Structures are given as C-alpha cells and as structure tokens.
Amino acid sequence: MNSLNLRVRVRPVQVPMMKRKRSSKPLPPPPSTPPTLEIQIRHSTNNTNAFDWVPLNVNRKQLSLPLTFPTGQTFRWKNTGPLQYTGVVGSHLLSLKHLQNGDVCYCLHSHTDSHADARTALLDFLNADICLSDMWKDFSDSDARFAELACHLGGARVLRQDPFECLIQFLCSSNNNIGRITKMVDFVSSLGNYLGQVEDFHFHEFPTLDQLSLVSEQQLRNAGFGYRAKYIIGTVNALQSKPGGGEEWLHSLRKLDLQDVIGALSTLPGVGPKVAACIALFSLDQHHAIPVDTHVWRIAKNYLLPELAGSQLTPKLCNRVAEAFETKYGKYAGWAQTLLFIAELPSQKALLPSHLWTTKQHNPAKIEASEEDVGKKKQL
C-alpha cells in the first residue's frame, strides 16, 4: 500500500475537569457489569479533537470509507462526520476519516489503550494485507463492465470481522430492512462493555457469548427481533455446547475449505446458505464465498448466466450462480461480487452513469431475500 509521509496531529483541548458540563442525554441500558467511575470519567467527552489523528498509510484507492462501512457488511459503524465513520474493533473505539487528498487517518478514542495494538487490530479488520488496486486491475482486465464500475466505486473493501459478531449481525439481517437491522444490532451491542460516546452515538464492545447468553428469547422479542429471537438464542445455546467454546470454534473455521465452512455454519439455528456465505466472506477468510440474494441473482442473469433469464431462484441455482462467479473471478470472487452488489445499492447508484444501472430500485432500504428466506415472513 502507498505510504504517507504526512502525520496529522490535533493539539489536545485542555478542559478543566471542574468546568466540564455533564451531558443531559441519558445513557443506553448498562452492560451486565456497570462501568466503573474511572471508566465513566475517561469516556465522558465526545470531542474527537481531544485525541490524535494518525495516518493509516492507506489511500482512497485502497479504502473508501463510504463504500465499505454503510454497504451491508457490518451494521455497527456510524457516520460521525463528513467522510468519517466510528466503530469498535475488539475493545478499541476508533474513528476513520478521509483527508482532502483521499488518504485515510484514524483516531483512537482512549488515552490508555495501546496505539500499537489498536492499529494492528484495525489493519487486520480492514484486510489491509490484501492489495485492492492489484486485484481490481486483474478483474478489470477480464471484465469490461467491472472495469467501468471500478472507475466510479474504487476502494470498496471486504472486511475481516470477528466471526461471532458477524454471525449475530447476519442472523438479525434475515428478510429485514437496514433501519430495523441496525436497531437490533445496537440492542445486542448495548449488552457489551461500554466504551464511550462519539457525537450522538454510544459505543460498546460486542458482547461475549457468555454475556449474550444472559438474554432471554422474550427479551429479544420485546425488543422487536420477531422470529429471529429464537434463532439467536438457539445459536447461542449451540455455540455454548461446542468443545473448547463457541467463539473458538468459529475462529477455527478459518482453517477449513469453503464447503466445510458452509456446512458447519448451517448446523446453527437460522443459518442458511446465504447467511453462511456472508459470514464466511466477511469474517472467515473465504474470499471466494458468494452470498446469493436477488441482487446477485439479477447480476448473474444479466451478465454471467443469461440463459437463466426467466428462471426462479432455487437452492440448486444458488450454487450455480456461486460457481459462475468463482469461474469468472477466481479466488477473490467474493470481493468482485461485493463491488457488483454495491453498484446495485440506491445510495451508490448516484455515483454511476445510468447505463451502468442494472434495474431501477424498487425498495431502497430492503435487504433483499435469498431463497432460504422464503416462508419466514409468516413467523414475524
């Protein structure tokens, strides 16, 4: 990746403790272990200018924040300023933003956390060891439409999330819309340890398996989870029964082949092929995994498998679509599919000339269904 010789440093603002005003906004529901007074004081400011902004040595061609965070991979990162997003990686509360030249810098919202540890965790989360521009060039050389889309949508990365966090988020996403998914994920997140506030948003570590096990199915239903509540509770129970621990079991899937990963994840309640493929791609290093929903099905019919025009999506055809993507794009087919999927989102179509639109969007906020979602609507 390109190196930056620039270090952006904002001088800390000295605010006497005795004059600091308390926020009038109520805190979210406390975690199972309330934060100590020391932690509350430590995170009582939401002023990012009180912390250093540090170059990440990544340019916009390698990482576009608006094309990575609000595009359906994760629902935990918040837009906290112009071209700025804030979220949690492990135990680290971090903000990322683009400078005027497109380069990315980051801010660690802590005076006590290790900057070295936070940076290492952030780079791992961003899959920073994978060179996006080289990959995009390979795809573009073999696909004229991809080449044209990449000119407008460069920097769309695939994240490497914590597997348990990714699993629970995508259990919430089944046959759902972005606003409701975000509320569900925020509720689950609030069960973890409180880290602090940035702008109007409160941030927590994602709860551990043990912390989430303290929540009942009825509590989730009362919070609006619908039929997904039983799947989350069922999955938590299944993971707790795994030898060595459920979170360790999920991490161990990174060592398996894709089909074994899909098979293992599909034993969990509520996890079908599409959700399993999302988890595999966004957290388990399965870079050729293809989550097939109606967006991807439409792309495949229009550009990869035109002979299937007029067909209805079935589990067998889902496999055929995934195979077509892998044949076309190789071991990083999931990254190619991610850019093609982003090009279908209403929020990104404004960046594209109209001749690159596949179809007019009929429901902007909906996470469109895969074949496995059929029949679940009646359970809401």
Side-chain angles (χ1 to χ4, degrees):
M1 296 184 178
N2 295 337
S3 295
L4 296 175
N5 295 320
L6 172 66
R7 178 180 176 85
V8 179
R9 186 178 183 88
V10 179
R11 184 181 300 277
V13 177
Q14 301 297 325
V15 182
M17 290 296 293
M18 63 181 294
K19 295 183 180 180
R20 181 175 294 164
K21 296 182 179 179
R22 293 181 179 270
S23 172
S24 60
K25 297 182 179 181
L27 291 176
S32 55
T33 303
T36 64
L37 177 61
E38 177 185 356
I39 294 175
Q40 290 174 332
I41 293 174
R42 171 185 164 195
H43 294 299
S44 61
T45 179
N46 66 356
N47 182 6
T48 55
N49 290 335
F51 302 93
D52 292 341
W53 283 97
V54 183
L56 193 59
N57 297 336
V58 176
N59 61 37
R60 192 160 192 158
K61 291 182 178 180
Q62 293 292 338
L63 172 61
S64 169
L65 303 177
L67 295 177
T68 299
F69 289 118
T71 53
Q73 295 186 58
T74 177
F75 302 93
R76 300 232 304 144
W77 283 71
K78 311 298 184 182
N79 187 193
T80 52
L83 296 178
Q84 178 178 312
Y85 293 83
T86 301
V88 177
V89 179
S91 61
H92 307 292
L93 177 55
L94 295 152
S95 290
L96 292 166
K97 72 176 180 181
H98 284 291
L99 303 176
Q100 288 186 347
N101 66 354
D103 290 338
V104 179
C105 58
Y106 73 96
C107 172
L108 173 62
H109 297 278
S110 171
H111 291 299
T112 58
D113 284 358
S114 165
H115 271 267
D117 290 347
R119 184 186 182 93
T120 298
L122 177 60
L123 291 173
D124 180 75
F125 173 74
L126 295 172
N127 264 320
D129 58 337
I130 295 176
C131 182
L132 191 62
S133 56
D134 289 349
M135 185 193 306
W136 264 207
K137 184 179 184 303
D138 290 341
F139 294 156
S140 297
D141 288 345
S142 61
D143 185 340
R145 184 170 186 271
F146 187 99
E148 195 167 2
L149 287 172
C151 291
H152 302 279
L153 301 175
R157 296 192 72 83
V158 168
L159 300 172
R160 189 177 194 251
Q161 301 176 63
D162 173 79
F164 179 61
E165 179 178 332
C166 188
L167 165 61
I168 299 301
Q169 289 188 85
F170 278 96
L171 283 176
C172 295
S173 74
S174 175
N175 193 34
N176 212 346
N177 63 71
I178 292 174
R180 192 177 178 197
I181 296 168
T182 301
K183 288 180 180 178
M184 291 179 183
V185 172
D186 286 347
F187 178 87
V188 173
S189 299
S190 72
L191 303 172
N193 298 326
Y194 182 68
L195 295 178
Q197 179 182 353
V198 179
E199 298 302 327
D200 294 330
F201 300 101
H202 294 274
F203 293 90
H204 301 74
E205 288 185 62
F206 199 77
T208 64
L209 179 59
D210 288 341
Q211 286 175 316
L212 192 51
S213 71
L214 300 177
V215 181
S216 69
E217 179 180 335
Q218 190 58 51
Q219 285 175 301
L220 293 178
R221 287 187 176 275
N222 292 344
F225 282 67
Y227 68 83
R228 302 164 196 83
K230 70 176 181 180
Y231 291 142
I232 291 173
I233 297 302
T235 289
V236 167
N237 291 338
L239 290 175
Q240 285 188 308
S241 70
K242 297 292 184 185
E247 289 164 303
E248 291 78 5
W249 177 79
L250 286 170
H251 278 277
S252 73
L253 299 183
R254 287 177 170 169
K255 303 174 183 178
L256 303 182
D257 293 333
L258 176 58
Q259 291 309 310
D260 292 333
V261 171
I262 298 296
L265 290 172
S266 296
T267 65
L268 300 174
V271 178
K274 177 203 166 186
V275 168
C278 288
I279 299 163
L281 176 60
F282 300 137
S283 71
L284 295 175
D285 299 337
Q286 302 294 330
H287 301 297
H288 57 298
I290 306 294
V292 180
D293 63 3
T294 53
H295 281 307
V296 177
W297 171 237
R298 187 162 53 239
I299 293 167
K301 288 191 296 181
N302 287 343
Y303 302 105
L304 297 178
L305 299 167
E307 66 274 17
L308 296 182
S311 302
Q312 296 298 313
L313 185 59
T314 65
K316 184 176 181 180
L317 288 181
C318 282
N319 293 333
R320 187 170 173 186
V321 168
E323 291 169 0
F325 271 93
E326 186 174 358
T327 299
K328 179 73 172 179
Y329 299 108
K331 66 179 182 179
Y332 288 103
W335 290 61
Q337 176 266 337
T338 296
L339 181 136
L340 297 173
F341 173 84
I342 289 172
E344 296 291 304
L345 298 176
S347 58
Q348 308 306 333
K349 280 189 175 181
L351 303 176
L352 302 175
S354 59
H355 72 274
L356 289 175
W357 298 0
T358 301
T359 63
K360 292 183 179 180
Q361 181 68 26
H362 59 278
N363 190 350
K366 189 72 178 289
I367 300 294
E368 295 202 39
S370 65
E371 191 276 338
E372 72 201 56
D373 292 322
V374 175
K376 290 181 179 177
K377 292 182 180 179
K378 296 181 180 179
Q379 302 178 57
L380 284 169

